[in-house]
Each structure stands twice: as structure tokens, then as C-alpha cells.
Amino acid sequence: MTTITDNSIPAQTRGTKDEMIAFVIMTALLVAVPFSGLYPFFVMQALCFALFACAFNLLIGYGGLLSFGHAMFMGTAGYVTAHMAKVGTIGFKLPLIGEFMINMGPLSPELSIVFGLIAALVLSVVTGLIAIRRQGIYFAMITLALSQLIFFLYLQTPFTHGEDGIQGIPQGMLFGLFDLSQPITLYYVIMVGFLLGFLIIFRTINSPFGEVLKAIRENEPRAVSLGYKTDQYKLLAFILSGVLAGFAGSLKVFVAQNASLTDVHWTMSGEVVLITLVGGLATLYGPVVGAFVIIAMQQYLAGFGQWVTVIQGVIFVVCVLTFRRGIVGEIAHLFKRSL
Amino acid sequence: MSINLQALSAQLLVGLINGSFYALLSLGLAVIFGMLNIINFAHGALYMMGAFVAYFLLNLAGIGYWPALFLAPIIVGIFGMILERTMLQWIANLDHLYGLLLTFGLALIIQGVFQNYFGSSGLPYAIPDALKGGVNLGFMFLPIYRGWVVIFSLIVCIATWFLIERTRLGAYLRAATENPTLVRAFGINVPLMITLTYGLGVGLAALAGVLSAPINQVRPLMGADLIIVVFAVVVIGGMGSIMGSVITGFALGIVEGLTKYFYPEASNTVVFVLMVLVLLVKPSGLTGRTT
């Protein structure tokens, strides 16, 4: 039986060195983007999706858990961040006790992001505790069903404004210093946010925790017999992945200046699977490459309406049938490197 | 709280009809999962295709509801078997998750193509003459077609159960589920059986599509959200037993109908909430094996 993550080349000492070199190259390229004439909005969007996909890949690539509902974390953090940056109220309606409302006014970007992360954290703890009770295909179905539950909740709760979404979100001053309405400033803030999230994942994968995670992926009964409480490891990976996906969603709010139901819909969960699959499951840089490829494709094909969906479907089929390593996976395999 | 019997029984009927579709679809998923070990994400899209084939038969060839009830599942079933032979069989030895990803891609393709030509709005499909009208049961008015859907689905489910649990072919099938290599050694063509099983499961989905066409109209996305609910049904019921998935399907339809009456805001989410509760109490599902 070939596992879904046969990409990962056996850990070699020079593996992380290759990855570090790739990281320096990637950072240099990203720093140079504003001088290259590339459309910064496109790069920022791709970076948000890249972080989202990296977070997703942490779970499937290193934990062996395919989540088909990851949009719920991105969407939830996005909604909360957007709401905090624009309105800044927290309202509760408790039965019997009554309603109460905390009004903090529109919050600064960094505090809005913190609230978004807290929301993603709470959601991933709750959904994680439920979902990790089953493995494999059932895990995928459960996460999908949970995200659909969240989708219907957001369709009905007032603060998300239903079909309209939250629009016209002020970008504000980050830490009171950086004016996010300046495209260049916004670009570098998004870039730093992405790199921060990426480094957290990089560090996690190469930590003892990451090694245990890989052990569980390869052979869970054996990991159990070695005394590891595998459920705790899986839950922690799930939470980390959920919060980082939420971070991507919070950053995206300041790029797109809106938060809508699209971000919590199952199609978004499918898209992050596609991005990761195209780039290379269980590779460090695969999700980043995949995000740029898929977002670019969507930009170029925007005029073709529903054919974009068809093309995405075709890519899914082709990748599964003939290109399971993905772009980065193939390159890594070709040069026998770990990327 | 005063209960309006008329409205309650109307919602119960809607619930029973949805339950019929849940049962037919989760039954198909369970049959396919037993043999191919994949979760057929394209199930919703193939359900939609069943409805569209009935629509085409009527509007392009003048073939009415009754022949379509048999022809559409056969046509879509053959389409499914082609998919199995050309694609699914190549990934049989890989991680089961690849099957999920592949069929998800197929679902995107099928739904995208239909959406491209037919938009997102519904196309009407008339109720056949023989099933028009309704009967007054005293406490409620029962449209005959809706009663027919529930009874016919029940018959199909029982027939499928009989085929798998009580016939020789079903015995081969169950044996091949347990140990395909050994069954093959007895000279039984297991790959053919796998193809036929996929065709059967897909045919059941298409049949549900034809049944739903006069009620829900024919829409390219009619199966997209439905399949997620059916996944939750499958998680609740487990895929271990045929009868289990049928009973869970009908039961959840009824629960949904009751929710529509007592607390309509939660009718979209009640199945998912129940799934959460079942996972907390009995993670393996009501009838399922643990995986």
C-alpha cells in the first residue's frame, strides 16, 4: 500500500540544509517582488493561499490526516478579523440572562488579527476533538460535514451579513506604525506574516514533535505501542494547522478588504486540497508553488466562467492518476533532495 | 405548545422523501465502499446526472417517466462503469484518500460542464399522469407522487439488501469484499464484479435523481450540497451494514422533517449536529466497524 505521503524522502541530514537554501531564495524573491513589475495584489493573494495550503499540508503531509473542511478556519478567522477591524463589538445573547454587548469600537489590525486567531483556535480545538475520533476517509467526511455546519451558521448569524459578507474593511495602521492602505507597506506586512507562518511550520516539521507526527502517519499502532499518546499529537497538529489557516484568513482580509461566504464554502476547502496536490503533498515548498500556479490560473481564466471549475476537476484527476508527487515533489525526486 | 397536525405531517412527509434520497445515496456509497474501498465523492454529481438523463430522454427523445426510471440508472451506471475502468481501477492499490480526491475532481468536472450549459436554475420535470393528484387522509393531504417516491425507494432498498445478503451473486460480492485474492483463486472474475458494483452504486444514485426530478426540479448543483449531508449520514450510520445505512437514511430524513416543524432555523444543520453527538458517544457510528 502506497501511502498518500510517499513524497517525503527519508530524512537525511542534508535535507534541512536544502530547505534552508530554498528558504533564503524564496525570501529574496519575495522581497524583490515590488521592484519586478509583478502585480502585488496577485502576489499577496497567492501568499495568503500559500500559507493556507502550508497549514493544510502540515496536517495531511506530516500527520496523514486529510481535512476536507479547512475553509472553516480560514473563513472564521477572516470573518472575526473583518468584524473587529470594522465594527469591534462582541455581542452575546444568553437565554434567561439576556443580551449583553461589549463595544470596543473598530480595533487596530493587530488586535483584529489576534481576535481572528483566537476564534480559529477555539474552533479548531472543538472540531479537532470531534474529528480525530475517526481516521482516513471518515476523518475527511467529518471535517467536510463540520465545515458545512459552520457554513450554515454563518449564513444565519447577523454579524456575517449573510450573502453580502463584510465589505469595505478599513486597513488601518498596524502597530500604529505601518499604514496598510499603502500597497507597498501592505505587501511587506503580508510577506512577513507569510514568512512567519511558514517558519513556524518549518520548525514544527523538523522538531521532535514533527518526528512523532511522521511516525504516527507511517504506523499509528506502533507509535501507540511506543507509548505515544497519538490522539494528543494529532489534536495538537490539527489545532496548529487550524490556527495557521486562520492566520492566512486574517491576513487575506486586509488584502481583499472583504470577508464572505466564499471563504467558508466547501469549494474553498477543495481548492486548498488542489493547491497542495499540484504543488506536492508532504513537501515543504509544494503548497507555496501550488498556490502561485492555481491563483495565476484563476486570474487568467477568470473570463471563462464555469470552465474554471471543470479545469480544476481535470487537474485533480490528472494529478491523482499520473502526477501524485506534484511539482515540487517531482523536482525533489529528480534531484533526490528534500524540498 | 399546540401542534398543527396538518403542517407537522406535511413536514414529516418532506422528511421521509429526503430520507428516501439519503437512504438510496448512502446505500450506494456503502456498496461502493465495501468493494472498492473508496468514498465516491462523485455520487452527488451522478445523482444529478440521473435527473438530467431523465430530462433529456423526455425532451429530446420523447421518452417519458416510466421508461426513464429504468433507462436513466442504466445509462448513468454504464457511464460510471466507464469511469471505473478508465480511472478508478488504476488507483485501487493506492491510499484510499486518492480515491476521494479523484472522485472529487470528477464531481467538479461533471457539475462544471452541466453548470456551463444549464446555469444554476432549475428545469421543470412534470409528474407522470398516473401519479398526479393526491388523496385526503383526513389529517393531511398526500400528493400521490410523494407517497410513491417513499414506497418505491423503500422497495429498491430492500431489493438491494436482498441481492447482496440473500443471493449467490451477493455472496460472491461479500466474499470478494472480505478477501478478493481468494475469491479470484476460485475462478470468479473479481475486477468485473468491482466494475459492476460501482455501476450498481452509481445506478442507485441516478435512480434517486430521477425520483427527485419532479419534486426538486433538475439543477446542475442539486447533488453538490446533498452529498455532504449524505456523508454525515454515512458517518452516523457507519458503512458496515446495508440495512444500517437504509434505516439511518430514513430516520435522519424524519428527524430533519421534525426539526423543520419545531425549530426551522436548525433544519439545515440538524444532521451535522447529530453527527457530532454520535461521534462523541459512539465514534464508530451506529452500525459501523471501527476504522
Side-chain angles (χ1 to χ4, degrees):
Chain A
M1 179 82 46
T2 328
T3 61
I4 198 154
T5 48
D6 61 348
N7 254 339
S8 53
I9 286 164
Q12 290 153 347
T13 40
R14 76 168 191 199
T16 38
K17 197 180 151 205
D18 289 340
E19 287 165 352
M20 300 259 218
I21 295 168
F23 182 78
V24 172
I25 296 171
M26 178 175 77
T27 310
L29 285 174
L30 288 178
V31 170
V33 160
F35 312 104
S36 70
L38 257 174
Y39 189 39
F41 181 77
F42 159 72
V43 182
M44 284 191 282
Q45 220 190 358
L47 283 179
C48 293
F49 277 93
L51 180 57
F52 182 30
C54 286
F56 167 80
N57 188 42
L58 175 67
L59 202 54
I60 171 77
Y62 301 92
L65 296 167
L66 171 62
S67 160
F68 232 104
H70 243 50
M72 64 180 155
F73 304 118
M74 170 145 133
T76 296
Y79 267 134
V80 171
T81 303
H83 178 76
M84 284 304 171
K86 193 182 177 186
V87 188
T89 55
I90 305 176
F92 287 100
K93 201 151 91 183
L94 295 172
L96 302 175
I97 301 167
E99 276 181 67
F100 66 94
M101 180 83 101
I102 308 167
N103 190 348
M104 293 172 282
L107 290 179
S108 61
E110 65 277 9
L111 283 176
S112 308
I113 292 175
V114 168
F115 274 99
L117 291 179
I118 292 171
L121 175 70
V122 172
L123 183 66
S124 55
V125 170
V126 173
T127 52
L129 280 170
I130 297 162
I132 58 157
R133 292 173 158 254
R134 302 294 291 273
Q135 277 97 51
I137 281 169
Y138 282 98
F139 182 86
M141 289 196 286
I142 291 166
T143 44
L144 177 61
L146 288 171
S147 78
Q148 189 78 345
L149 175 64
I150 299 293
F151 174 82
F152 280 120
L153 284 182
Y154 289 148
L155 193 62
Q156 287 171 356
T157 48
F159 92 96
T160 59
H161 299 283
E163 304 274 353
D164 297 335
I166 306 177
Q167 292 173 352
I169 296 151
Q171 287 166 312
M173 301 282 281
L174 186 77
F175 300 117
L177 293 171
F178 304 106
D179 184 0
L180 296 186
S181 58
Q182 297 293 321
I184 295 285
T185 318
L186 180 65
Y187 173 77
Y188 281 112
V189 167
I190 299 291
M191 185 197 81
V192 170
F194 162 76
L195 290 175
L196 192 70
F198 188 88
L199 279 175
I200 293 173
I201 291 169
F202 187 27
R203 186 73 198 90
T204 307
I205 292 167
N206 291 308
S207 70
F209 171 76
E211 295 299 328
V212 177
L213 216 53
K214 284 175 228 169
I216 295 170
R217 176 191 74 193
E218 297 303 325
N219 192 342
E220 184 166 355
R222 180 132 187 225
V224 172
S225 79
L226 289 170
Y228 291 111
K229 293 198 165 56
T230 54
D231 273 0
Q232 289 178 7
Y233 280 89
K234 286 194 280 186
L235 181 62
L236 200 53
F238 190 88
I239 293 169
L240 193 59
S241 173
V243 171
L244 286 168
F247 188 39
S250 291
L251 290 178
K252 191 165 146 314
V253 160
F254 295 101
V255 178
Q257 284 184 271
N258 70 42
S260 70
L261 284 170
T262 331
D263 294 342
V264 265
H265 198 247
W266 58 263
T267 45
M268 185 61 82
S269 297
E271 213 163 289
V272 73
V273 181
L274 181 66
I275 287 173
T276 314
L277 189 65
V278 167
L281 282 165
T283 61
L284 188 59
Y285 291 91
V288 182
V289 174
F292 276 87
V293 171
I294 297 294
I295 300 298
M297 187 197 84
Q298 283 174 348
Q299 298 255 323
Y300 285 114
L301 299 179
F304 289 88
Q306 283 308 318
W307 288 118
V308 179
T309 318
V310 178
I311 293 168
Q312 288 189 338
V314 171
I315 299 176
F316 254 109
V317 171
V318 171
C319 278
V320 171
L321 287 177
T322 63
F323 196 63
R324 280 186 289 275
R325 289 196 186 100
I327 299 170
V328 173
E330 284 295 345
I331 296 173
H333 185 75
L334 199 64
F335 295 102
K336 299 209 168 20
R337 300 267 166 149
S338 176
L339 288 169
Chain B
M1 184 189 216
S2 69
I3 288 173
N4 179 346
L5 198 61
Q6 192 92 25
L8 178 62
S9 43
Q11 291 300 353
L12 268 180
L13 182 65
V14 172
L16 264 178
I17 287 173
N18 284 334
S20 312
F21 300 145
Y22 297 161
L24 283 171
L25 290 170
S26 61
L27 177 62
L29 281 181
V31 168
I32 291 173
F33 184 73
M35 243 352 225
L36 286 86
N37 266 320
I38 61 160
I39 279 292
N40 187 28
F41 217 126
H43 222 61
L46 295 162
Y47 157 87
M48 175 271 288
M49 267 184 89
F52 263 97
V53 168
Y55 177 82
F56 291 143
L57 285 174
L58 183 68
N59 290 294
L60 301 178
I63 297 171
Y65 178 81
W66 297 106
L69 204 52
F70 295 92
L71 282 175
I74 291 171
I75 294 170
V76 179
I78 290 171
F79 177 72
M81 287 192 257
I82 295 172
L83 293 182
E84 198 280 330
R85 272 291 144 128
T86 52
M87 295 178 210
L88 290 174
Q89 68 154 327
W90 301 110
I91 57 160
N93 294 324
L94 302 176
D95 193 312
H96 305 331
L97 293 175
Y98 280 120
L100 189 75
L101 298 181
L102 180 64
T103 50
F104 179 71
L106 291 174
L108 288 183
I109 296 173
I110 297 169
Q111 272 159 5
V113 167
F114 276 90
Q115 245 189 312
N116 210 47
Y117 288 110
F118 299 96
S120 291
S121 54
L123 303 165
Y125 188 93
I127 295 175
D129 288 336
L131 298 175
K132 275 189 179 138
V135 276
N136 199 337
L137 299 177
F139 59 92
M140 72 171 294
F141 180 79
L142 173 72
I144 293 177
Y145 185 76
R146 298 186 171 226
W148 153 256
V149 168
V150 176
I151 290 167
F152 185 66
S153 309
L154 208 60
I155 293 170
V156 171
C157 287
I158 292 170
T160 312
W161 171 81
F162 186 82
L163 175 74
I164 291 173
E165 300 287 337
R166 290 288 181 272
T167 64
R168 180 163 283 267
L169 181 69
Y172 290 155
L173 213 94
R174 279 177 289 134
T177 308
E178 293 294 324
N179 192 338
T181 325
L182 195 64
V183 174
R184 239 180 142 164
F186 285 133
I188 291 163
N189 190 343
V190 173
L192 180 69
M193 277 176 63
I194 291 178
T195 309
L196 288 176
T197 308
Y198 191 72
L200 172 70
V202 165
L204 286 170
L207 181 71
V210 182
L211 286 173
S212 99
I215 299 177
N216 297 326
Q217 295 197 320
V218 182
R219 288 178 296 120
L221 291 180
M222 65 196 285
D225 285 338
L226 183 65
I227 191 63
I228 304 180
V229 182
V230 174
F231 280 175
V233 172
V234 164
V235 172
I236 293 172
M239 287 188 288
S241 93
I242 300 280
M243 265 305 170
S245 47
V246 174
I247 293 168
T248 319
F250 276 102
L252 287 173
I254 292 170
V255 170
E256 211 178 51
L258 288 174
T259 316
K260 271 202 189 107
Y261 178 78
F262 288 107
Y263 190 56
E265 291 85 355
S267 60
N268 281 332
T269 46
V270 64
V271 174
F272 302 120
V273 174
L274 278 175
M275 179 195 80
V276 170
L277 292 177
V278 168
L279 282 171
L280 292 177
V281 178
K282 193 169 181 294
S284 58
L286 296 178
T287 65
R289 297 172 285 199
T290 33
T291 34

